[in-house]
Amino acid sequence: MKINPLKRIKKFLTFKKIILLIIIIVAGSFWYKHYFWKSTTATYTNITSKVKKSTIENAIKVTWTAEIVDEQKIRFNQTWKVAKVYFKDWDKVKKWEIIAELDLSDVNNTIKQSEIGLENSKITLQELYEWKDKSQILKAKNDVTSAEQKLILSKQSLEDLKKEAENKINSLNTSLKEQELTLNNTLKDAKNSTTVNQDQIDQAIKDVADKQDSYEFAKKDLEDTKVSEKQSIIQTQSSYNLKVTNAIQNIKNAVIEAETIANDVDDMIGITDQSKNKLSYYEYIWTKNLSLKNSMESSYRQVINKKAKVSSLVNSIDPLSVDLNSLLECLDSTKDLFNTTFQLTDNTYNVIWNSVTSSTFTESQLDSLKNTASSKRSTTQSRLSSIASDISTIQSLESPSVTQTKSDNTIKKKDQAVTSAAISLDNAKQTLKELQNWIDIKNTDKWISVVKLQNTYDSAKKTLEETQNSYNTQIQTKENDIKDQEKQLVVTKQTLTETLEWPTSEQITKAENDIVKQELSLESAKKNLDKYRLEAPFDWVARKIDFKVWDNITSDEEKYVYIENPNLIKITATLDQIDIAKVQIWQKTKIVFDSFSDKEFEWSVQEIDSTPLETSWVTSYTVTISMDKWENKIYSWMTAKVSIITESKENILVIPTAFIEKSQNRSFVLVQSWTWEEIAEVVTWLSNTSNIEIASWLDEWETVIRKVSVSASSWSTSTQKSLFWGPWGGWWEPWWWNSNRSSRNWW
């Protein structure tokens, strides 16, 4: 029986055999291709570079020609008065020496005011953050009470002064009218009498009148001196009592403040057993500060003991009869108390700073304690300054007895002057009497009286005017003082209100914004300083200076300093409107001449011409750079490559730009770490064509890697692979990358 071949094949090739045959064919093909097909697989080599510190500069680069010039003229770019000129015509100058200065008073005042404003803004913000304790509230209330009492006394004093002025001026007016009437009657009587006009008699009469005036003036001066010395003693005694009373009150306030600070420190860090048991974080405070514990306890006890001593001393002082030596002793003890208190608060700050945190004693609690300790230390320093001021004030006081002695000596001298004037008057009258013995003049006494009355009247009129002016000045001064005291009362009441209230978020934001505003103002003021100085751009001779001290420099006035230099080279370049906006006067430049390619000259931009040049619809501007060629043989029309530095950072971490891989707006590098390689995300900043700044995540002298292909397969296109090129091509980012993007040890 004949069997069909197809059926025999079908019977032989079962399903399992077919599957096995397919597997053998595929495996054989892969084996042949892998071991026998002639091809080259892609291989890579590592290029490494060290992270190092270097300088990155970006510059506007132009090529231009040089020109030899004999001199350069420079001028102020600021209008104001010339305050100082340091050189004369034909004086030698050195590079960067200041040739002249405008008046810096305003700009220095602006800087000082900005600094004061910034410090005040910081203090205001700090005060908003600080806890208002009882002593601060008490002080604010005392300030309001003191301001109110001071205002009441000043108003009463003003009313008394006005009454005194009114009575005094009325009295002087009445006296002046009486003297005028007497003078007119005496003059009329004298004119009706016969008078012999003889020179000797007239001179004698005049001399008597003058001596009489001198005598009256001396007596009046004596009386005025007695009155003024009496007022001076009263004012001195009042000032003395006020300063002593203020010093005693400040000592009492200081005692309260020292006790409050000591108790607050005890509450913060647990010096006493009672406070220690209340603190849940006691062990964390003292864990690293055991060496200071005995010192802190000793300082605390000293504060308590010295506080008691000062309290005893100040309570023993009789306010009605104060001994300056006792008061100074009390102030010295108060100063010693606060020196010890400052040591306590300073050690407290150090103890809190070295404290450790835990789950029950958090960083925010520790920061709060730090702020409180810092505030107590600042309060102690302020009180020390106040005590030192009180000591200086008391030391400068003069005892009322000494003042009285000086006053008595002054009055004694005036009394002696009256005696001398009386003797002179008697001598003059004796001389006149002797003349009258041989010349019969009947009305001499009347004319003497006329002259005397006229002098007295003139003197009284002058005294009235001076008294009116004096009282007007005193009244105006007191009225101004009252206005100032009313303003101060408003301020103290506002301070009390703010002390009793918590600061709002708007107040804190306003205070923070004010700090930023003051910082910007200070920075702007400091930048303006350079505009007020004219500096020599190179060494040589100032041939001519157009201006002198106190000249006013105006914007349309062309006054220059002409500096001669036979070695001066000028390079004039043109920049387009985009580049010119990046250039400023005195901006650093680097110059390389084709003839001296191995030398680099550093100079600066001297002049920018704001007049535009238009060529083929392109607008450009002229920039002039002047430099000293020194001993180099540089001639006109030599070509120079000029780099005007627009950005520059020194001593920064850099790597070659080619080592950075970019993906999804992020920057990565491959870092060699001992025996393996790791990927690190970095933050970059300034860059140029060769290097790029690394702002974070890499350290100096670390090694970064760049992989470069050195051969390619014959059957596939080879390219330099990305650091993160996946097995299926394209960007490959591990699933754990997003949760570890800031860490370099995530594998």
Side-chain angles (χ1 to χ4, degrees), residues 112 188 317 325 379 433 495 580 585 587 605 607 672 715:
K112 187 63 177 178
K188 183 178 180 180
I317 295 175
N325 292 330
T379 300
K433 187 176 181 181
T495 301
I580 195 67
I585 298 293
Q587 197 157 330
V605 176
E607 185 179 347
Q672 181 175 320
W715 49 269

Side-chain angles (χ1 to χ4, degrees), residues 261-287 289-290 292-298 300-301 344 347-348 351-352 355 361 369:
I261 291 172
N263 291 336
D264 290 345
V265 168
D266 186 23
D267 291 339
M268 282 192 293
I269 63 176
I271 296 177
T272 63
D273 293 336
Q274 182 180 0
S275 298
K276 175 175 69 177
N277 296 331
K278 295 180 182 179
L279 296 180
S280 60
Y281 53 81
Y282 178 83
E283 59 181 347
Y284 304 109
I285 288 288
W286 292 101
T287 297
N289 296 289
L290 291 178
L292 291 174
K293 186 170 179 61
N294 292 335
S295 175
M296 292 289 292
E297 292 175 349
S298 175
Y300 177 80
R301 287 193 297 272
L344 177 63
N347 287 338
T348 300
V351 166
I352 293 173
S355 300
F361 183 50
L369 288 177

Side-chain angles (χ1 to χ4, degrees), residues 59 68 75 101 136 153 176 207 220 248-249 258 297 314 388-389 438 440 481 486 504 615 624 649 659 661 675 711:
I68 296 178
R75 58 172 293 182
E101 279 184 346
Q136 289 176 302
L153 293 175
L176 186 63
D207 188 50
K220 185 177 182 302
I248 293 173
Q249 185 60 44
E297 292 175 349
V314 75
S389 176
W438 59 275
D440 185 14
D481 290 342
E486 289 173 341
T504 63
T615 306
T624 301
K649 293 183 75 173
F659 282 69
E661 289 285 345
T675 58
S711 63

Side-chain angles (χ1 to χ4, degrees), residues 32-43:
Y32 174 79
K33 183 177 180 180
H34 187 72
Y35 290 99
F36 292 96
W37 194 6
K38 294 182 180 180
S39 64
T40 57
T41 58
T43 59

Side-chain angles (χ1 to χ4, degrees), residues 505-519:
S505 59
E506 289 80 5
Q507 288 175 315
I508 293 176
T509 302
K510 182 180 178 182
E512 291 173 343
N513 292 341
D514 195 45
I515 289 176
V516 175
K517 178 182 176 182
Q518 295 295 341
E519 288 174 342

